[in-house]
Amino acid sequence: MTEVPDVAAAAEFIDRTLQNEGAWYRADEVGYRLGGALASYGSSIGAVRGTVRDALRKFKDMGHDTTVMLASALWGQPKPGSQPVFERRLAAVVLLQTKVQVLRHSDLTRLEGFLRSAQAAELAGPLVSDVLVPLLAGLDHRDRQRAAAVLARWREDPESQLQTAARLVEKELTQ
């Protein structure tokens, strides 16, 4: 499978589109709801989903490496010194939901970082239910054992977000 050569171009396309889809009143509402923890462009959830869908059409054949690099680029700050943006992070979650079949057990470290820095239940919840659970459910026996060690560490971590994620994942996988 061919990888997208320029992750920066895909991130720029998503960022620019989300800014164009934004509205000040939604940005104010998101900022208020999240207590100013994240900046907001004021893009609707539908616009975020549509933007990711359009990016996947424009930048075809995204494999594992490109997917996780693009998700990381979207999760981070749009430029040095700026605040992370809620809609960019939501786009990263939507991207990972859409491409969960290419993820590997080794991506748990990256997802752990996302959970630690989520700053919003609207980001952490879908990361757990729509990315972590299907990722772990699709692992073979050996990789699932490796993932179980990570989840055991999360259960003991002082970060409550990771403890909650470990409990929810284990609950979902044992049902």
Side-chain angles (χ1 to χ4, degrees):
M1 188 176 291
T2 307
E3 292 280 330
V4 173
D6 193 358
V7 171
E12 173 60 29
F13 171 81
I14 291 171
D15 187 73
R16 185 178 56 253
T17 304
L18 292 175
Q19 288 183 50
N20 290 338
E21 293 289 333
W24 67 266
Y25 63 90
R26 279 194 301 260
D28 285 351
E29 189 273 325
V30 169
Y32 177 77
R33 192 175 70 240
L34 301 179
L38 298 169
S40 175
Y41 294 152
S43 306
S44 69
I45 292 172
V48 172
R49 291 189 177 288
T51 298
V52 171
R53 181 194 62 233
D54 292 347
L56 290 171
R57 286 182 185 151
K58 181 177 173 91
F59 301 95
K60 297 182 186 312
D61 300 324
M62 242 189 251
H64 172 268
D65 293 347
T66 302
T67 298
V68 295
M69 288 188 314
L70 179 55
S72 292
L74 292 170
W75 195 268
Q77 299 164 310
K79 58 186 175 193
S82 66
Q83 211 175 5
V85 177
F86 175 77
E87 290 84 2
R88 286 173 55 102
R89 287 187 169 188
L90 185 58
V93 172
V94 171
L95 173 67
L96 293 171
Q97 289 170 333
T98 305
K99 302 288 283 183
V100 72
Q101 74 279 2
V102 304
L103 299 179
R104 305 172 184 151
H105 77 281
S106 57
D107 295 319
L108 289 173
T109 304
R110 185 178 312 264
L111 295 173
E112 176 180 337
F114 289 178
L115 285 168
R116 285 185 186 277
S117 63
Q119 298 179 300
E122 294 121 297
L123 297 172
L127 270 174
V128 172
S129 63
D130 300 337
V131 179
L132 281 169
V133 169
L135 165 62
L136 295 173
L139 294 177
D140 64 25
H141 179 71
R142 190 174 109 215
D143 287 343
R144 183 154 320 173
Q145 285 180 318
R146 292 176 179 161
V150 172
L151 292 176
R153 182 176 52 76
W154 288 6
R155 278 194 307 275
E156 304 301 321
D157 195 282
E159 174 64 48
S160 64
Q161 191 78 317
L162 290 179
Q163 293 172 14
T164 300
R167 281 194 309 272
L168 291 172
V169 167
E170 289 167 344
K171 179 182 173 189
E172 287 293 321
L173 292 176
T174 59
Q175 289 182 352

